[in-house]
Amino acid sequence: MTRNVGSIDRGLRIAAGLALLGLGAFGPLGWWGLVGLVPLATGLMSSCPAYSLLGVNTCSAAR
């Protein structure tokens, strides 16, 4: 997989994923908090399948 997620985008994805998982575990979201796995995984892998389909690239190293 090619990297298409930049450093700022990556940090935001990881933070959002952890926040959603935390809200799911300890807050009002319940099982819906598992949605946080998607941004967490794409942030940790630095690759987003949706970005690939849309031709978006926020990674400055690949340009």
Side-chain angles (χ1 to χ4, degrees):
M1 281 196 268
T2 59
R3 290 183 65 171
N4 59 5
V5 175
S7 60
I8 295 173
D9 191 6
R10 184 176 184 224
L12 290 173
R13 285 171 182 264
I14 291 171
L18 290 173
L20 285 170
L21 286 172
L23 285 172
F26 304 111
L29 290 182
W31 288 102
W32 283 101
L34 291 177
V35 171
L37 289 174
V38 174
L40 182 62
T42 58
L44 291 174
M45 293 186 310
S46 297
S47 179
C48 178
Y51 276 11
S52 296
L53 289 174
L54 298 173
V56 177
N57 188 351
T58 61
C59 184
S60 60
R63 290 182 183 178

